[in-house]
Amino acid sequence: MPRTQRNDNFIDKSFTVMADIILKILPTNKKAKEAFVYYRDGMSAQADGEYAEALDNYNEALELEEDPNDRSYILYNMGLIFASNGEHDKAIEHYEQALESNPRLPQALNNIAVIYHYQGEQAKAAGDADGAEGYYDKAAEYWLRAIRMAPNNYLEAQNWLKTTGRSNIDIYF
């Protein structure tokens, strides 16, 4: 049974009904509508913690979706799953692909920076100061790009950049 027919709560059912109505009236081709159904099912599975099912749906959506902006969000959500599973290299790969499709996705830049910062913390804890600095520099690079796009976001990152001396420009607020 498709995930859209299994939703048990009122909000999920309401969302599904609204999404189905929108799908019927949207002036798009059948392939795009089918991609959206897989994407919607992927989001639902992801919200339920069913990551394997979500990835299957996202992969199906990617096969069908042609719009670069829509593809970027599919890839971004896949990156979220890989990051939450500790598969940092796969997460970064998917975030980078999302940015190739949509360069205006500061949340992908932020998430890459978070991963590099985490890896820097891990290297530091293991006694690899040089490795840690390399990861921190990468994190700074991505956070600066994200902050340039969304100057009112990522306040903790902005503070970290200033206190570590990795930012000498005032692009904040």
Side-chain angles (χ1 to χ4, degrees):
M1 168 184 317
R3 173 166 283 279
T4 54
Q5 294 174 1
R6 286 189 285 155
N7 293 329
D8 295 330
N9 69 47
F10 175 75
I11 293 172
D12 284 344
K13 286 181 181 177
S14 299
F15 173 77
T16 301
V17 169
M18 291 300 294
D20 287 342
I21 291 170
I22 291 169
L23 272 177
K24 289 176 184 166
I25 63 172
L26 272 178
T28 59
N29 65 38
K30 183 180 180 202
K31 194 173 175 182
K33 289 179 182 182
E34 190 176 348
F36 177 77
V37 169
Y38 280 113
Y39 177 65
R40 181 189 64 201
D41 287 351
M43 288 190 312
S44 177
Q46 185 174 359
D48 290 343
E50 301 289 339
Y51 296 143
E53 181 183 344
L55 287 172
D56 287 344
N57 280 300
Y58 290 147
N59 280 318
E60 291 291 336
L62 278 177
E63 291 291 320
L64 297 166
E65 186 57 66
E66 295 172 354
D67 181 78
N69 193 52
D70 292 343
R71 290 180 61 80
S72 73
Y73 285 100
I74 297 166
L75 290 161
Y76 173 80
N77 283 342
M78 293 174 82
L80 289 173
I81 292 171
F82 289 122
S84 71
N85 287 337
E87 297 177 74
H88 296 131
D89 291 339
K90 280 186 177 180
I92 289 172
E93 177 185 327
H94 282 79
Y95 291 140
E96 290 286 1
Q97 289 176 21
L99 288 164
E100 287 174 21
S101 294
N102 178 6
R104 302 282 309 158
L105 206 58
Q107 59 267 43
L109 294 167
N110 176 66
N111 291 1
I112 293 170
V114 168
I115 291 170
Y116 282 136
H117 185 270
Y118 171 78
Q119 291 174 328
E121 292 292 307
Q122 296 299 107
K124 183 178 175 181
D128 181 7
D130 290 339
E133 285 302 311
Y135 285 122
Y136 291 148
D137 288 344
K138 286 181 179 182
E141 172 191 332
Y142 281 91
W143 267 325
L144 285 168
R145 288 174 57 195
I147 292 165
R148 281 189 181 101
M149 277 188 231
N152 294 324
N153 296 354
Y154 316 117
L155 299 178
E156 288 182 43
Q158 292 177 33
N159 186 50
W160 180 81
L161 288 165
K162 279 190 172 186
T163 59
T164 61
R166 286 182 165 81
S167 176
N168 58 1
I169 56 174
D170 278 328
I171 56 173
Y172 314 103
F173 309 102

